Amino acid sequence: LALLKNLPDGVLLKDQHRVIQLVNQQFCALFGIAQRAETLIGQPGVALHESLAAQFCESEKFLEHLRALRGFQEMSVGEEWELRDGRFFACDY
């Protein structure tokens, strides 16, 4: 857990039911989430997706992609999505 807190990258981990199990403060900072990371643990990830999607250039496409992944058992690695501020968000599912 200490390693997670000290990573320079934002990390969010959900379980098979899409409930947030781990999240670090860097993830919150990257997306302008005012809450402390600890308060997100145990929350449904779907609600978070909706609020984060507006920050992506292709927000509807990003949400559609996440919806399509529900129930998908294979892992998707190395995806990148562009944010409206020019940064890129790399994610693995």
Side-chain angles (χ1 to χ4, degrees), residues 4-74:
L4 179 69
K5 289 181 179 183
N6 293 313
L7 282 175
D9 299 320
V11 176
L12 175 79
L13 177 68
K14 298 179 287 178
D15 65 15
Q16 70 272 19
H17 303 290
R18 293 178 280 300
V19 174
I20 298 170
Q21 297 298 310
L22 290 170
V23 62
N24 65 0
Q25 200 59 41
Q26 290 82 335
F27 182 90
C28 294
L30 285 170
F31 288 101
I33 299 169
Q35 294 172 263
R36 296 282 310 147
E38 297 82 20
T39 65
L40 296 174
I41 295 173
Q43 301 295 319
V46 174
L48 185 60
H49 293 165
E50 299 289 333
S51 65
L52 296 179
Q55 296 184 43
F56 288 86
C57 290
E58 299 181 77
S59 57
E60 279 304 312
K61 186 175 179 182
F62 178 73
L63 282 174
E64 287 174 20
H65 181 68
L66 291 178
R67 288 181 195 121
L69 288 172
R70 292 179 190 163
F72 190 69
Q73 300 301 316
E74 297 293 320

